[in-house]
Amino acid sequence: MKVFSALLACVAMVSARNLKLDELEVGFCDGANQDVLSLDNISVEPFPLVINTGAEITLNVQITLNEPVPAGATVDLKIKREGIIPIPIPCLPIGDIHIGSCSYSGDELLTNAGDFLCPDYVPEGQECMLPLNPGSYGSADSLTVVLPEIPGILVDLLAAGTYYADATVNYADGSPMTCVYLRVELSGH
């Protein structure tokens, strides 16, 4: 039994070491429609990310939407901490918003992020609501954000490690439009 425990501990250490990332990994989920959009440039600094009250994160995001995202579209977000046993991050109500593996309406996301997204990071003439029309979203210029007060439960939940998130964008009828994923490394707080 001691040998088995020692072997299991060694496997865990090797697996954890192999899960460390050197940079943000972004792409399309297996089988996703890649014609809907192109992921032109997505980067984040510092890396690994530090999730802590007052931490600064510099983002650069540029995508080209090739097809409209129609009214009624939804986003299903699934997040897990990777490891020998992946740990799903549940949908948690934090104040007026939900964070984690949650389902959102497209309009809800645009309403919550509209103050900083629109009009600077959407094509000219695009309102901050669905449908989102084809065009370039984001900016060649980096955006630096300072993280606000983060509740202790969230800081504790997001311990150091590698996290995988996929976002499935669905049509109003629930059928999938596309799916993108990212893997990111978080450092201790």
Side-chain angles (χ1 to χ4, degrees):
M1 186 64 167
K2 287 182 183 179
V3 172
F4 178 72
S5 297
L7 181 60
L8 187 60
C10 288
V11 168
M13 287 189 302
V14 169
S15 295
R17 193 172 300 133
N18 289 337
L19 290 176
K20 287 202 169 278
L21 298 176
D22 293 331
E23 63 184 9
L24 184 69
E25 182 182 316
V26 181
F28 289 94
C29 306
D30 289 339
N33 181 353
Q34 297 183 29
D35 296 332
V36 172
L37 60 92
S38 63
L39 305 170
D40 303 325
N41 182 25
I42 300 176
S43 63
V44 63
E45 291 181 10
F47 200 87
L49 279 177
V50 176
I51 303 299
N52 205 359
T53 299
E56 286 190 2
I57 298 175
T58 301
L59 303 167
N60 189 297
V61 177
Q62 291 179 284
I63 66 167
T64 301
L65 191 56
N66 300 318
E67 297 178 19
V69 177
T74 60
V75 177
D76 293 328
L77 183 62
K78 295 180 186 150
I79 305 171
K80 64 183 173 187
R81 181 166 185 230
E82 295 185 329
I84 291 176
I85 300 172
I87 301 170
I89 306 300
C91 185
L92 299 171
I94 307 288
D96 294 340
I97 62 173
H98 288 81
I99 296 176
S101 299
C102 306
S103 294
Y104 304 94
S105 76
D107 283 322
E108 173 187 9
L109 291 174
L110 289 169
T111 297
N112 289 336
D115 287 346
F116 87 91
L117 281 180
C118 305
D120 296 335
Y121 298 102
V122 300
E124 189 173 330
Q126 172 65 55
E127 293 184 51
C128 209
M129 59 185 287
L130 295 178
L132 291 178
N133 295 311
S136 295
Y137 290 77
S139 173
D141 299 327
S142 296
L143 169 68
T144 299
V145 295
V146 177
L147 296 180
E149 181 71 30
I150 300 175
I153 187 173
L154 192 57
V155 172
D156 293 341
L157 183 65
L158 297 176
T162 302
Y163 289 80
Y164 172 90
D166 66 48
T168 302
V169 179
N170 301 300
Y171 292 105
D173 68 4
S175 63
M177 181 175 190
T178 193
C179 177
V180 295
Y181 78 89
L182 68 83
R183 289 179 72 223
V184 65
E185 184 80 22
L186 301 183
S187 68
H189 50 278

